[in-house]
Amino acid sequence: MASKKRTRLSAADRREQLISVAQVMFAEHGVQPTTVEDIAAAAGVTKPLIYEHFGGKEGLYAVVVDRAMRQLLEQLVNPLTSGGSPRELLERTAVALLTYIESNPAAFRVLLRDSPSWHGRGSAASIMSEVAKHVEEVVVETFVRNDLDTKVVPIYAQMLIGMIGFTGEWWIESGSDLSRDTVAAHMVNLAWRGLDGLEAEPTLKTL
């Protein structure tokens, strides 16, 4: 019986495969418990190949985290820079971040997990705070355009990322059958109207 011929990947394709496999394993099992041996076995390669591409688990993890953060920020740039009313900004940001979570659940889980001490970014909270700092750079433009006090921009950036991010984590991890837009509408309901003015059946008004 003829053996099944293995498809040989290019160096670029193999690198992408290793990043994808590692991202899923880091998301599901955590960084510390996942070994180079685990990643190599899951990817169907030898350990030396991972060291060749990334220098080890630390280098591979750094690539996974940096890519996840870049993708998240790219998802947020257009909603935060395309103008409109504060309500439109809030709704677009909520939908954009939930879209990222829905499309990239493994990447988002990696961002939320505590990073190892050798990575240098610290805890999951510090990683999300770093994302919020990038968001500040975009939000400040909206504040200037609307003649608002830019000193409080960090507060709003942290609130946006915190509220949407941790609600998004619950949405993914709980297996909720609520749609992305429904979750976004309820978050905007609280952020926009406050507890005293909540709508019973909120909807996205501007999208």
Side-chain angles (χ1 to χ4, degrees):
M1 182 177 178
S3 60
K4 187 176 180 180
K5 187 176 180 180
R6 175 181 288 182
T7 302
R8 185 177 179 83
L9 298 178
S10 68
D13 288 340
R14 178 64 71 189
R15 179 181 173 85
E16 290 301 314
Q17 180 211 19
L18 292 173
I19 293 170
S20 296
V21 169
Q23 178 178 267
V24 171
M25 297 193 73
F26 291 149
E28 292 181 351
H29 308 296
V31 183
Q32 298 286 20
T34 301
T35 66
V36 172
E37 290 86 349
D38 296 332
I39 298 169
V45 302
T46 61
K47 287 197 304 180
L49 191 61
I50 294 177
Y51 287 102
E52 177 185 335
H53 279 280
F54 304 100
K57 184 174 75 169
E58 293 88 345
L60 180 51
Y61 176 73
V63 170
V64 169
V65 169
D66 289 344
R67 176 173 294 191
M69 288 187 64
R70 186 174 66 252
Q71 291 171 338
L72 173 55
L73 293 171
E74 288 172 353
Q75 186 80 38
L76 292 173
V77 165
N78 185 62
L80 290 169
T81 57
S82 53
S85 68
R87 171 80 185 225
E88 289 173 320
L89 172 67
L90 181 58
E91 291 194 356
R92 287 199 306 263
T93 302
V95 170
L97 188 45
L98 290 176
T99 297
Y100 171 83
I101 294 170
E102 186 174 42
S103 302
N104 306 278
F108 185 68
R109 288 187 178 103
V110 169
L111 289 180
L112 286 181
R113 280 187 176 274
D114 283 349
S115 61
S117 58
W118 43 256
H119 185 243
R121 291 188 188 271
S123 67
S126 69
I127 291 178
M128 295 307 288
S129 291
E130 186 170 339
V131 173
K133 288 180 183 177
H134 287 281
V135 172
E136 285 179 29
E137 299 171 5
V138 184
V139 173
V140 72
E141 298 176 9
T142 301
F143 271 60
V144 170
R145 188 168 58 248
N146 291 282
D147 196 27
L148 299 172
D149 183 2
T150 57
K151 289 188 296 185
V152 298
V153 163
I155 299 174
Y156 287 85
Q158 292 286 344
M159 286 191 298
L160 280 172
I161 297 302
M163 178 182 70
I164 300 172
F166 287 106
T167 303
E169 180 188 16
W170 163 82
W171 179 48
I172 289 294
E173 300 298 346
S174 69
S176 171
D177 59 359
L178 295 173
S179 71
R180 178 202 65 185
D181 287 358
T182 297
V183 175
H186 281 280
M187 285 193 293
V188 173
N189 190 28
L190 175 60
W192 186 255
R193 304 180 67 87
L195 288 173
D196 286 341
L198 289 178
E199 295 178 329
E201 298 182 4
T203 58
L204 298 175
K205 313 292 187 186
T206 64
L207 300 180

